[in-house]
Amino acid sequence: MAEDFNVTLNEAQYYTPDTECKKNSWLGDYEKRYQEFLADPDAYWEAIARELDWFSEWNQVKTWNYPHAEWFCGAATNITYNCLDRHVFNQRRNKVALMWRGEDEGEERVFTYKQLYQAVNRFANGLKKLGVGKGDRVCIYMPVVPEQIIAMLACARIGAVHTVVFGGFGVNALHQRITGVGAKVVITADIGVRRGKAITLKNIVEEAVVNAPSVERIVILRRDDPKIELHSEMEIDYHDLIKGASSECEPEAMDAEDILFILYTSGTTGSPKGIVHTCGGYMVGAYYTAKYIFDIKDNDVYWCTADPGWITGHTYGVYGPLLTGATSLITETTPDYPHPGIWWSLIEEYGITVFYTAPTAIRMFMRTGEEWPNRYDLSSLRVLGSVGEPLNPEAFEWYYRVIGKERCPIVDTWWQTETGMHMITTPIGEPMRPGFAGRPIPGVIADVVDQGGNSVPPGQGGLLVIREPWPSMMRTVYGDEERYARYWNTIPGCYTTADLAVKGDDGYIMVIGRTDDLIIVAGHNIGTAEVESALVSHASVAEAAVIGIPDPLKGNLIKAFVILIDGKEPSEKLKNELVYHVRMTLGPIAIPSSIEFVDSLPKTRSGKIMRRVLKAIELGMDPGDISTLED
Ligand code: PRX
């Protein structure tokens, strides 16, 4: 743990963008704001919450019964009222809320705030017709189309809890999430589109709802021609459901602490964790950071490239921008299809001013070369964002120079599904330190500590923790209180992020990676245990261990070590079969990039696989303390 990171620290170089952007920014001076927060944290958050509309006010800003916090206690609101109604009934009625782009040129759909409001209300009324009401869980398994967002907002409108499942997940992953929340309705589409090909989703849903007794109805958006047949016992067409539905639907008055959504994230065991976020606190966190960290103004055109199936898409693709009344773009595109200039062409075409993406995409673009972005006019850009994994200095430099033309500040935002909102970054106008996400945002107290919760000196590696509750913190792990408590009782008095980090003399934090068995592949969390259990569910596999191998493009790749059952012989064919099996059970994001057949695995005497030892051997490094190794 006491690793020394002085080399990196000494080589640090600051980039200072034009300070004009800070003068005009919503956040203003970071230090001043941070001190304002420290002086009275509850008053700070209360002032932010007052910028939004509530049906009735809180009687207390926060209660903190370790490890349970409640925020805006006793208040009532509806997040869709703040995302839609307040814009529709104020000056943004005809402002564009959402622009969607498909893969083909000209494939575009545009919704003004009024049109989005009406579409959400119609679908909300449709859901009501199916008997969905407050507190019911609804699973949304869709490609990135406007209806995906409309479905999320429609659930929120009537107080139903949405669980969005990334459209790239396979049957088991979807089944686990549907049954985990006990979804009453599943909303899906017949197909998604990727690289010119139709990817069928409906057959995955058909398999995933077997032995999922909670599911009463499946709503299907039919995009393909000719339209697929529906099985009328369970399935209903999206458009049939909203036929004749009113475009007015009263927003349900939600208690600030009612559940808004459950979003699954990988854990260190085979079953993913259903992270619970609430209506009031999450709304305030999403609004605050979209406005004050991205600095979204009324004339901005914003694009977050994340799929709403991930937390980044929830907070900064859907709720954050709508809460601020922004115009935002969503796309069902792949960064290099039909050519590696597609994203830059969209920035030019839509005049994007605030752009949010992941380091893995930036590194891919670095490979395809500057000539691609250089073909397009990127002068509309004002703020660049990064999320999901460390933005390494080379990628920072490229992003800053080639995309931002040395004009645009980069906000490298560190946060998690569990935190709901940005936690650590370098606000615009502050000196940027490549490789370092930055400092905790005003409203957040973060630190780098040892196992006992004591701050470690600058330059020394430690555990990244958050010291005080914040409004958009997860409230629990759905149905697993003990797993929730672990976040707060692993390190005394702190919320543990399970990230390893180091702090510079200037207080800037560099996030180095995970301390647990999560592998971050292309910015997505994959649990080793999830992949291992998928492998072991194959009839030929006796045991499996999975590790992450550093990769210059994707951050990490998955490598699997597999012990076959007696009588099965290793072969290339079997490798392909196993990869296919993981693809079908978990989805393409979780497939191992290499598989090695082995006779044994390093284990502790208690039988736990020592992945750390496998990794050290694989990377030719010292395996460290192996005193607990069985053999
Ligand atoms: O390890 C950190 C990494 O992603 C983890 C959270 O993953 P997830 O819940 O899927 O949310 C991703 C999007 C918020 C963190 O524990 N991570 C996220 N952002 C950064 C990061 N690592 C370094 N720098 C970041 N900016």
Side-chain angles (χ1 to χ4, degrees):
M1 187 55 52
E3 281 170 72
D4 217 332
F5 291 92
N6 279 331
V7 178
T8 336
L9 294 176
N10 292 341
E11 282 173 359
Q13 180 195 359
Y14 293 97
Y15 286 63
T16 312
D18 154 25
T19 44
E20 275 306 293
C21 63
K22 176 162 151 184
K23 241 191 276 164
N24 304 323
S25 75
W26 285 117
L27 190 76
D29 186 69
Y30 168 81
E31 287 293 345
K32 194 165 147 257
R33 271 270 180 177
Y34 201 85
Q35 291 312 318
E36 204 181 301
F37 153 66
L38 281 183
D40 191 344
D42 284 3
Y44 185 84
W45 281 115
E46 183 166 41
I48 304 291
R50 285 240 157 81
E51 295 183 20
L52 292 160
D53 288 336
W54 301 79
F55 303 151
S56 64
E57 256 217 28
W58 47 92
N59 42 49
Q60 208 173 331
V61 175
K62 158 189 99 198
T63 59
W64 181 216
N65 297 313
Y66 196 88
H68 294 285
E70 293 192 352
W71 283 84
F72 312 109
C73 311
T77 187
N78 187 296
I79 195 167
T80 68
Y81 186 89
N82 282 291
C83 286
L84 301 168
D85 307 45
R86 75 185 200 129
H87 306 308
V88 170
F89 298 109
N90 286 309
Q91 73 283 23
R92 298 194 184 104
R93 179 174 306 187
N94 300 314
K95 180 177 175 178
V96 171
L98 197 65
M99 307 178 289
W100 171 87
R101 253 302 289 258
E103 277 189 347
D104 294 333
E105 224 177 314
E107 221 192 340
E108 180 188 69
R109 293 168 67 193
V110 177
F111 292 77
T112 62
Y113 270 94
K114 181 177 145 215
Q115 288 165 336
L116 187 61
Y117 165 91
Q118 292 178 331
V120 167
N121 284 340
R122 264 186 224 115
F123 193 60
N125 285 325
L127 288 175
K128 279 187 176 173
K129 269 196 276 179
L130 297 182
V132 179
K134 187 173 176 173
D136 286 334
R137 274 84 56 216
V138 173
C139 175
I140 301 170
Y141 180 67
M142 297 184 97
V144 182
V145 285
E147 286 78 5
Q148 183 192 31
I149 292 179
I150 291 166
M152 289 168 74
L153 296 169
C155 288
R157 187 81 176 171
I158 61 173
V161 173
H162 60 67
T163 289
V164 184
V165 179
F166 171 57
F169 274 127
V171 174
N172 273 28
L174 179 60
H175 176 82
Q176 216 164 20
R177 286 157 175 77
I178 290 173
T179 51
V181 299
K184 188 169 185 173
V185 167
V186 177
I187 304 167
T188 190
D190 51 352
I191 54 161
V193 177
R194 195 172 159 82
R195 296 181 184 281
K197 277 198 278 198
I199 314 282
T200 47
L201 296 182
K202 190 186 167 253
N203 55 349
I204 296 179
V205 175
E206 278 169 6
E207 281 189 57
V209 297
V210 174
N211 293 325
S214 63
V215 178
E216 293 174 12
R217 300 305 288 266
I218 302 168
V219 181
I220 298 165
L221 178 74
R222 287 188 290 180
R223 310 172 74 197
D224 212 7
D225 225 5
K227 285 193 179 355
I228 53 160
E229 288 255 345
L230 299 185
H231 307 299
S232 59
E233 317 81 74
M234 289 269 274
E235 299 172 351
I236 177 159
D237 176 81
Y238 183 100
H239 293 287
D240 290 344
L241 182 65
I242 57 174
K243 213 169 271 166
S246 160
S247 58
E248 293 298 330
C249 174
E250 272 299 300
E252 188 74 33
M254 303 297 287
D255 186 276
E257 283 297 314
D258 280 336
I259 302 180
L260 174 64
F261 66 84
I262 302 167
L263 180 62
Y264 278 83
T265 187
S266 293
T268 51
T269 67
S271 63
K273 298 178 276 197
I275 304 299
V276 172
H277 282 289
T278 52
C279 296
Y282 173 81
M283 174 176 81
V284 171
Y287 165 77
Y288 169 61
T289 46
K291 175 170 170 181
Y292 290 88
I293 299 303
F294 286 142
D295 195 42
I296 296 177
K297 307 263 175 47
D298 235 338
N299 51 0
D300 275 312
V301 185
Y302 168 86
W303 183 17
C304 163
T305 64
D307 187 305
W310 308 107
I311 190 68
T312 304
H314 274 61
T315 308
Y316 301 108
V318 180
Y319 289 113
L322 293 175
L323 286 165
T324 59
T327 293
S328 65
L329 175 69
I330 56 163
T331 74
E332 191 180 15
T333 60
T334 309
D336 59 352
Y337 180 89
H339 57 77
I342 181 70
W343 279 12
W344 316 122
S345 80
L346 296 181
I347 287 179
E348 175 181 302
E349 184 180 340
Y350 290 94
I352 301 297
T353 59
V354 181
F355 179 61
Y356 195 32
T357 195
T360 186
I362 296 164
R363 291 193 297 261
M364 190 210 80
F365 291 125
M366 286 168 75
R367 285 204 176 168
T368 49
E370 294 178 25
E371 60 273 23
W372 284 103
N374 287 347
R375 287 184 197 178
Y376 302 95
D377 177 6
L378 305 181
S379 61
S380 58
L381 287 171
R382 184 170 83 77
V383 179
L384 301 176
S386 172
V387 63
E389 57 183 313
L391 181 63
N392 51 302
E394 298 72 25
F396 179 100
E397 190 278 333
W398 193 90
Y399 199 23
Y400 187 67
R401 181 174 54 83
V402 180
I403 306 306
K405 312 292 181 207
E406 301 181 1
R407 279 185 307 105
C408 305
I410 295 179
V411 284
D412 173 1
T413 58
W414 178 92
W415 60 294
Q416 307 178 303
T417 305
E418 293 88 335
T419 70
M421 66 168 194
H422 299 152
M423 300 294 277
I424 297 172
T425 194
T426 303
I428 67 170
E430 296 299 321
M432 296 170 287
R433 206 172 170 185
F436 288 73
R439 289 174 288 177
I441 65 169
V444 170
I445 301 181
D447 201 357
V448 180
V449 302
D450 61 21
Q451 293 287 354
N454 312 298
S455 303
V456 298
Q460 193 174 307
L463 302 160
L464 180 62
V465 297
I466 311 296
R467 288 206 186 270
E468 294 290 330
W470 63 101
S472 66
M473 65 190 246
M474 69 188 292
R475 294 303 192 266
T476 190
V477 174
Y478 194 66
D480 198 342
E481 191 44 39
E482 200 191 309
R483 235 170 156 186
Y484 169 72
R486 242 177 277 154
Y487 282 90
W488 284 94
N489 62 24
T490 304
I491 300 170
C494 305
Y495 164 86
T496 175
T497 68
D499 275 0
L500 183 67
V502 60
K503 210 193 247 186
D505 296 323
D506 51 7
Y508 279 48
I509 292 171
M510 171 191 276
V511 177
I512 294 153
R514 301 287 304 178
T515 59
D516 58 11
D517 290 328
L518 289 191
I519 310 175
I520 304 208
V521 183
H524 298 136
N525 259 346
I526 316 277
T528 50
E530 265 174 296
V531 184
E532 287 162 5
S533 45
L535 284 166
V536 172
S537 70
H538 187 281
S540 304
V541 176
E543 261 192 284
V546 159
I547 58 169
I549 305 282
D551 175 71
L553 188 62
K554 293 190 166 178
N556 289 287
L557 294 176
I558 298 173
K559 165 142 195 191
F561 297 85
V562 169
I563 303 179
L564 295 175
I565 58 163
D566 285 347
K568 292 283 171 191
E569 288 302 316
S571 68
E572 275 309 303
K573 181 174 163 287
L574 186 52
K575 269 189 198 172
N576 291 338
E577 221 179 275
L578 293 181
V579 169
Y580 185 73
H581 182 71
V582 176
R583 182 191 290 277
M584 288 302 131
T585 32
L586 287 177
I589 51 164
I591 56 178
S593 47
S594 67
I595 293 182
E596 189 174 324
F597 295 110
V598 292
D599 296 325
S600 67
L601 290 167
K603 285 189 189 160
T604 61
R605 268 163 258 220
S606 59
K608 252 180 108 180
I609 296 171
M610 294 180 83
R611 297 186 188 85
R612 163 171 78 76
V613 173
L614 280 173
K615 192 162 175 170
I617 297 170
E618 185 68 26
L619 301 178
M621 283 159 43
D622 176 8
D625 177 17
I626 48 169
S627 56
T628 56
L629 194 65
E630 180 192 40
D631 187 359

